[in-house]
């Protein structure tokens, strides 16, 4: 797709900048016609697969992040949409913010207090005095007996699987 229509898509992305700087009505008309021709060519091309849709999700950083993320992953997992995240306290969104979202969630899943509430991982000896669990060999799944804690952990691992699947699909892992 990139080799067949990529140059058209790149030109299509640059034309609005030219349009904004133009004052000549004739040149504006030419640029608008060029955009129309490019879109027509790309859509009719045998190599065009279509645009991927994305779902924009607004999140709050902090204590609510994991709960909101679990809900978002449950909803988004049924679609083939890309995930775009915007944090409530920030104006930006896009790839960098979404990548930041994955980092924030990964840190929240390694948080000691969070792990005590819903135990997923075996606790380390905390020699680093860090708020996050750490092991050079990776986190070890904590075995749990049947009960409420285990059910909560199973739900959290289901969320982790959805999160990783979404991150893999979008190229963040």
């Amino acid at each position: 797709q990139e080799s067949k229509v990529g140059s058209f898509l790149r030109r299509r992305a640059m034309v609005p900048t030219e349009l904004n700087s133009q004052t000549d009505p004739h040149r504006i008309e030419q640029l608008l016609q060029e955009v129309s021709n490019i879109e027509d060519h790309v859509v009719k091309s045998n190599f065009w697969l279509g645009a991927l849709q994305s779902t924009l999700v607004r999140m709050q950083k902090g204590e609510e992040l994991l709960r909101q993320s679990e809900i978002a992953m449950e909803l988004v997992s049924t679609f083939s949409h890309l995930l775009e995240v915007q944090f409530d306290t920030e104006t930006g969104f896009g790839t960098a913010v979404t990548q930041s979202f994955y980092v924030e969630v990964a840190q929240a899943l390694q948080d000691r207090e969070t792990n005590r509430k819903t135990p997923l991982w075996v606790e380390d000896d905390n020699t680093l005095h860090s708020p996050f669990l750490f092991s050079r060999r990776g986190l070890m799944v904590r075995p749990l007996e049947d009960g409420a804690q285990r059910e909560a952990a199973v739900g959290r691992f289901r969320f982790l699987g959805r999160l990783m699947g979404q991150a893999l699909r979008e190229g963040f892992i």
Side-chain angles (χ1 to χ4, degrees):
Q1 180 175 343
E2 175 65 27
S3 64
K4 301 296 181 181
V5 294
S7 61
F8 292 103
L9 294 175
R10 283 189 294 280
R11 177 65 183 146
R12 169 64 179 92
M14 292 171 28
V15 169
T17 305
E18 285 184 50
L19 271 170
N20 289 337
S21 66
Q22 284 299 320
T23 55
D24 178 23
H26 182 66
R27 181 66 181 144
I28 292 172
E29 186 177 332
Q30 285 177 328
L31 289 169
L32 290 172
Q33 185 60 49
E34 183 180 357
V35 169
S36 177
N37 292 344
I38 289 171
E39 290 174 351
D40 205 37
H41 175 79
V42 168
V43 169
K44 289 180 180 175
S45 168
N46 292 334
F47 304 101
W48 176 244
L49 301 175
L52 293 174
Q53 292 184 339
S54 64
T55 301
L56 181 62
V57 179
R58 292 183 62 91
M59 297 279 181
Q60 293 175 346
K61 288 185 177 180
E63 292 184 21
E64 290 295 308
L65 180 65
L66 273 180
R67 188 185 64 76
Q68 291 175 353
S69 301
E70 287 176 1
I71 293 168
M73 284 301 123
E74 189 172 338
L75 294 172
V76 174
S77 69
T78 60
F79 304 129
S80 60
H81 297 182
L82 297 176
L83 177 68
E84 285 192 76
V85 175
Q86 182 177 32
F87 291 109
D88 277 345
T89 58
E90 300 172 6
T91 57
F93 66 93
T95 304
V97 177
T98 302
Q99 186 170 11
S100 171
F101 159 75
Y102 287 113
V103 170
E104 296 270 342
V105 171
Q107 286 181 331
L109 288 169
Q110 295 176 34
D111 181 72
R112 288 183 191 285
E113 285 302 314
T114 301
N115 192 57
R116 288 184 186 118
K117 292 175 188 171
T118 306
L120 301 179
W121 317 114
V122 173
E123 291 271 338
D124 60 2
D125 60 6
N126 198 15
T127 54
L128 298 176
H129 306 290
S130 169
F132 303 106
L133 297 171
F134 175 78
S135 173
R136 281 184 267 159
R137 294 185 179 175
L139 298 174
M140 303 275 293
V141 175
R142 180 175 173 181
L144 296 171
E145 294 184 19
D146 288 339
Q149 274 193 333
R150 183 176 181 165
E151 291 305 313
V154 166
R156 185 64 55 85
F157 276 117
R158 187 173 292 117
F159 156 69
L160 181 57
R162 288 177 176 147
L163 183 79
M164 290 182 68
Q166 190 73 27
L168 277 168
R169 180 172 40 182
E170 296 182 25
F172 289 107
I173 296 178

